[in-house]
Amino acid sequence: MIPLEDNYTDVIGKAQRGLNLSDSLLAEKAKVSVEQLRKVKEGEPIDEILEKIAPVLGLGKKALLDLAKGLYYPQDRGIIPGLFHFNTRWEDMTVNSYLVWDTTTKEAAVFDTGGNCTEMLDAIKVHGLHVKYIFLTHTHADHIAELGRLKRAVGAPAYCCELEMISGTEPFSPGKEFQLSHLSIRSFLTNGHSPGGVSYYITGGEHKFVIVGDSIFAGSMGGGNYSYSDALKNNKEKILTLPDDTIICPGHGPLTTVGEEKIHNPFFAFS
């Protein structure tokens, strides 16, 4: 079981940094003491304080409290036809990469490389898959660490958003659609965590997938390093408007769904 990428203190920190709120200003706006805020941020989940700071940070109260109490983890979906999820080590963390394929023709696409692509290459060989595309969600080091090795091994071109180009990749404009046998892959810009972050919505198979990189996680989202407001807007308007049963494949942490994140993600759940 892959742990959640973020705990409730991470969520508070990301929102606080995104809104450029110091501890003293956040405490003042929430009408709590700096000492009370410090305790919460150090891992003491005090309900009364969390309820006060949540609206100031633009976070859903119940979702934040549930996360703080360890009450949220997305449903385990077991084996999903046409999808392999790889979780590999990169320095002091783990990172996800994915292999999606048409189960009838075995034509496949890779999404990011993770910190080590050995397991992915083994799966390609064992299942007799033919990789047609390599897609990058963004170009942070943990997501592209094995790009050279992967390209050499599978002989497929690598595609990257034109807003975030790196050597050895082919540029494309977000909105471009790709065909993978019976599967359709639609790209759309979900920047905010990075300048050219892209998500890929895959339909035509037994399940709908969206490969999102670090745009959104189960119970959290990637930090708005490039633009916090754009990150929030893109997640709300482009990812969470997809059908509820769409499986979200994030860059870190476990798989989730659009429906689950609309209810349980503190950044987006306000009921």
Side-chain angles (χ1 to χ4, degrees), residues 72-81 207 244-248 254-260:
Y72 176 54
Y73 189 88
Q75 177 186 343
D76 181 7
R77 285 169 176 79
I79 297 173
I80 303 172
H207 297 276
D244 282 357
D245 62 347
T246 303
I247 296 172
I248 296 176
L255 302 179
T256 183
T257 62
V258 168
E260 286 174 298

Side-chain angles (χ1 to χ4, degrees), residues 145-207:
E146 291 270 85
L147 182 58
R149 179 188 175 197
L150 186 62
K151 283 184 64 180
R152 289 190 298 272
V154 302
Y159 291 86
C160 184
C161 174
E162 62 188 1
L163 300 175
E164 200 170 320
M165 282 298 301
I166 58 168
S167 176
T169 62
E170 300 187 20
F172 70 89
S173 300
K176 182 176 175 61
E177 295 192 15
F178 300 84
Q179 201 68 29
L180 187 71
S181 294
H182 302 97
L183 304 180
S184 295
I185 303 172
R186 177 167 62 88
S187 65
F188 48 94
L189 186 66
T190 49
N191 63 341
H193 178 69
S194 68
V198 169
S199 293
Y200 301 89
Y201 182 46
I202 304 162
T203 57
E206 186 174 336
H207 297 276

